[in-house]
Amino acid sequence: MRRLTCIWILCCLPLLALAQRETGWQIRGGFGFAGYGSTAEWKFTDFEPNLVLKDDDGAATLHAPIEIRYEVSSRVNLGLDFKVGSYLYDPDSAEGKSNNFIVAGAAVEYNFIDKEDFRWYGGLGFNGSWLELEERYENQGMSKLQVARYSGPGFRMNTGVLIFLSSLVGLNFNLGYDSHSFTLRELEVNGQLQNLEFFEATLDVKGVDGTLGIVLRLQ
């Protein structure tokens, strides 16, 4: 019986070593894209009842994501997400307009498949987002520059794969659901902040977000 027990332990040692593989840090970056359905709402509160205008539309973004992950175990990753980018305009209405956004937040991931050279993971993330919209108008020879600054919370749920080409470098592909709820914080016209006491504006976007990139694995 003792001999059988020793043989069983020896057979299990390779599996135990695999289960306790060395963990470490990951840094991911690359090219990001997204497509959204959007709802913009403007509310004028000095009317009775309030005057509310709505616009349902679509939006697309290009952005540069950076993700930092620490492997708490062979199955669970915790980390931080960052991305910077801009929303794309319809070419017919893009003149005089520009924008940029920043997103920063925390994420958790679970590896459904966990191999040394291949991972399939699912993730959840919560973040804060900041959006600046700039529009320049020309009216009767007079120039008007309007800058609107929005911020608000966001949520992301995604799945992806990591394909490691070596012990250091791999490929990262992921796709998922992404949403942001922006609220107007500041409105500036020709450098002068406007009174928002009787005016409110929100922008909600929900859609699909994806990344094509690389991952660096640091032990």
Side-chain angles (χ1 to χ4, degrees):
M1 183 67 182
R2 184 177 299 174
R3 183 178 297 177
L4 290 174
T5 301
C6 292
I7 293 173
W8 181 82
I9 292 174
L10 289 173
C11 291
C12 287
L13 284 177
L15 297 177
L16 291 173
L18 180 61
Q20 299 299 322
R21 68 167 176 80
E22 187 176 359
T23 58
W25 291 88
Q26 296 175 11
I27 300 176
R28 307 172 189 170
F31 168 75
F33 56 92
Y36 300 101
S38 65
T39 299
E41 180 176 296
W42 301 271
K43 182 185 295 185
F44 300 85
T45 58
D46 56 345
F47 290 87
E48 186 60 43
N50 294 337
L51 175 60
V52 179
L53 304 176
K54 282 189 176 182
D55 180 33
D56 293 323
D57 203 348
T61 72
L62 295 178
H63 53 269
I66 297 176
E67 301 170 355
I68 301 172
R69 295 289 183 271
Y70 177 70
E71 298 174 315
V72 178
S73 70
S74 61
R75 291 288 183 179
V76 179
N77 300 331
L78 299 178
L80 299 175
D81 287 347
F82 304 94
K83 63 181 179 181
V84 295
S86 62
Y87 286 83
L88 305 180
Y89 292 106
D90 185 328
D92 294 334
S93 60
E95 186 176 357
K97 298 180 181 179
S98 63
N99 73 85
N100 61 81
F101 66 80
I102 300 173
V103 178
V108 58
E109 292 175 351
Y110 181 81
N111 291 323
F112 302 112
I113 296 178
D114 175 49
K115 297 183 177 180
E116 191 63 28
D117 59 353
F118 179 82
R119 315 276 172 80
W120 171 36
Y121 63 86
L124 294 174
F126 299 89
N127 54 63
S129 46
W130 295 264
L131 170 66
E132 183 173 280
L133 302 174
E134 183 176 301
E135 296 188 41
R136 184 177 298 276
Y137 305 91
E138 296 290 339
N139 185 17
Q140 297 180 348
M142 300 291 292
S143 178
K144 178 181 178 182
L145 177 62
Q146 176 177 292
V147 180
R149 299 184 179 95
Y150 291 77
S151 65
F155 170 74
R156 187 169 184 244
M157 178 172 60
N158 68 314
T159 184
V161 296
L162 300 174
I163 302 171
F164 288 101
L165 306 177
S166 70
S167 61
L168 177 63
V169 179
L171 303 177
N172 177 38
F173 308 96
N174 71 60
L175 192 67
Y177 170 82
D178 189 48
S179 68
H180 300 277
S181 297
F182 295 102
T183 299
L184 180 65
R185 307 301 183 184
E186 288 184 351
L187 180 63
E188 185 180 294
V189 178
N190 288 343
Q192 299 295 316
L193 289 176
Q194 304 301 296
N195 184 359
L196 299 179
E197 183 179 357
F198 302 108
F199 177 69
E200 300 173 6
T202 59
L203 174 63
D204 293 326
V205 296
K206 301 175 182 179
V208 176
D209 176 283
T211 298
L212 305 173
I214 62 172
V215 53
L216 299 179
R217 179 166 52 182
L218 308 176
Q219 301 294 347

